[in-house]
Amino acid sequence: MRYFDIVKFEPDKSLCSRLGYKNVYSVGKDIQVSERPLKYEVPQIVISNDQGILIGALRDGGVVGIIFKDNELNKKIIEKAAELRKTIFIPLTGIVGTGAAERKQNIQKVRKIIFAAHALKANARIISLAESKEYLLSTAQMLEIESLLKGKQGKSIFDGSRI
Amino acid sequence: MITKHKNRYILVEASEPIMTRSKQIDDEIISSVSKELGQIGHVEANPKIVYQFNDSVFIIRANRNYERRVLLALAFIKKLNERNIGFYTIKISGTIRSLINLCKKLYA
């Protein structure tokens, strides 16, 4: 097993192992997700659509990655993330937990982020960021969604067992 | 020449017990999958519940080459009968026997 995921609830370990994950990090316990960089003892992910906040977050040593709020693409941020070797996390909540019309729009937005990340050689990684166990996905499903989003181009966006 | 019709079997676990032994629930699951696949996708994949291990674990059969579509469709289903639910696909296999053995190992 060589995959990890980040979720917003306390996951059942046996379920996570059945789903094929090595590590499933819980927000609030193993990792923090906040709207601006703060001082935490655990690694932090910053979610925002403000360019200044995201660039500041990328420069912060405690921040492991960023999330574009509402999947709004910003190439300057992606360039900076590539330069500072930070990860752009892409939550699948807008794709999995929505209706068909909204899903189509979100898939297009996420594709743009992924293609820009590949072009600028930045690390992009999909995560479920599930709020409850209904929204958790198995590794097989994540790999299928990965191929739906990025096709066969570029490197994997679902590889690695650690943040 | 007669060509053999080949299938793939998908081991699925539901996040909640859903009593898959009832025909009505089976039909609801398959119709939810079909809704995601579309009419043409449904005919191509021809998904069907062929084995129920317990109230939340079952095996779906789909035509080979279309099993991945069924897997994606299952990922997108989050409501069944007005209840919140998630379907996790544990494994895809060419034989039902290997999945039954895996069920016994994982859920014994």
Side-chain angles (χ1 to χ4, degrees):
Chain A
M1 287 185 286
R2 57 195 175 96
Y3 301 112
F4 78 86
D5 195 13
I6 300 172
V7 295
K8 282 185 174 175
F9 64 99
E10 190 65 46
D12 175 18
K13 279 195 175 174
S14 64
L15 173 66
C16 295
S17 132
R18 282 204 299 279
L19 298 183
Y21 291 107
K22 189 172 183 187
N23 292 310
V24 175
Y25 299 102
S26 173
V27 173
K29 187 184 158 199
D30 308 310
I31 192 157
Q32 285 290 348
V33 177
S34 59
E35 294 202 342
R36 52 182 62 243
L38 298 167
K39 291 207 169 171
Y40 291 111
E41 287 179 1
V42 289
Q44 192 189 352
I45 296 172
V46 173
I47 175 167
S48 179
N49 49 12
D50 184 286
Q51 188 172 317
I53 291 175
L54 287 174
I55 288 182
L58 289 170
R59 288 190 183 128
D60 193 312
V63 175
V64 289
I66 55 157
I67 295 174
F68 288 116
K69 198 174 188 178
D70 304 325
N71 294 320
E72 296 295 337
L73 172 68
N74 186 329
K75 285 189 179 174
K76 272 190 181 174
I77 304 285
I78 295 179
E79 267 176 29
K80 200 76 187 166
E83 187 189 317
L84 297 166
R85 296 190 177 182
K86 298 278 170 93
T87 308
I88 297 153
F89 290 100
I90 300 162
L92 297 179
T93 43
I95 293 171
V96 173
T98 52
E102 208 178 326
R103 186 185 304 146
K104 271 184 206 167
Q105 281 184 346
N106 283 322
I107 287 174
Q108 292 308 323
K109 282 181 178 178
V110 167
R111 272 186 181 158
K112 280 181 188 172
I113 295 175
I114 291 166
F115 289 137
H118 283 317
L120 298 167
K121 295 182 180 171
N123 279 335
R125 177 67 159 74
I126 50 170
I127 52 171
S128 73
L129 208 64
E131 289 185 1
S132 62
K133 65 177 181 177
E134 287 85 28
Y135 292 90
L136 196 60
L137 296 166
S138 69
T139 49
Q141 287 169 321
M142 288 288 260
L143 285 166
E144 211 47 52
I145 290 175
E146 179 199 35
S147 65
L148 173 80
L149 294 175
K150 82 167 183 72
K152 287 177 181 173
Q153 293 177 332
K155 61 177 183 178
S156 172
I157 51 167
F158 185 57
D159 214 0
S161 61
R162 286 175 179 278
I163 295 173
Chain B
M1 196 176 86
I2 299 167
T3 52
K4 197 182 171 193
H5 197 77
K6 292 198 174 179
N7 297 312
R8 282 285 177 270
Y9 297 88
I10 308 165
L11 177 61
V12 184
E13 182 181 340
S15 62
E16 304 287 335
I18 47 165
M19 297 289 288
T20 49
R21 278 166 222 276
S22 88
K23 177 94 174 60
Q24 194 190 344
I25 297 288
D26 284 9
D27 291 344
E28 275 168 21
I29 294 168
I30 294 302
S31 67
S32 301
V33 171
S34 305
K35 204 176 156 190
E36 298 294 339
L37 290 173
Q39 284 185 354
I40 295 167
H42 178 80
V43 172
E44 283 173 337
N46 193 21
K48 193 182 179 195
I49 296 178
V50 288
Y51 181 83
Q52 290 136 26
F53 185 74
N54 61 29
D55 286 350
S56 59
V57 180
F58 55 94
I59 296 171
I60 290 183
R61 185 189 68 200
N63 286 348
R64 196 175 70 169
N65 299 333
Y66 298 100
E67 72 275 11
R68 289 174 182 276
R69 287 195 195 176
V70 177
L71 193 143
L72 261 180
L74 285 165
F76 293 146
I77 298 169
K78 294 296 162 204
K79 264 198 177 169
L80 190 74
N81 240 350
E82 300 300 313
R83 278 174 67 192
N84 287 339
I85 199 154
F87 291 106
Y88 318 127
T89 50
I90 308 293
K91 199 179 177 189
I92 300 176
S93 175
T95 62
I96 194 167
R97 188 188 291 172
S98 67
L99 291 186
I100 293 170
N101 289 338
L102 183 67
C103 278
K104 286 174 185 167
K105 204 171 144 187
L106 288 176
Y107 306 101

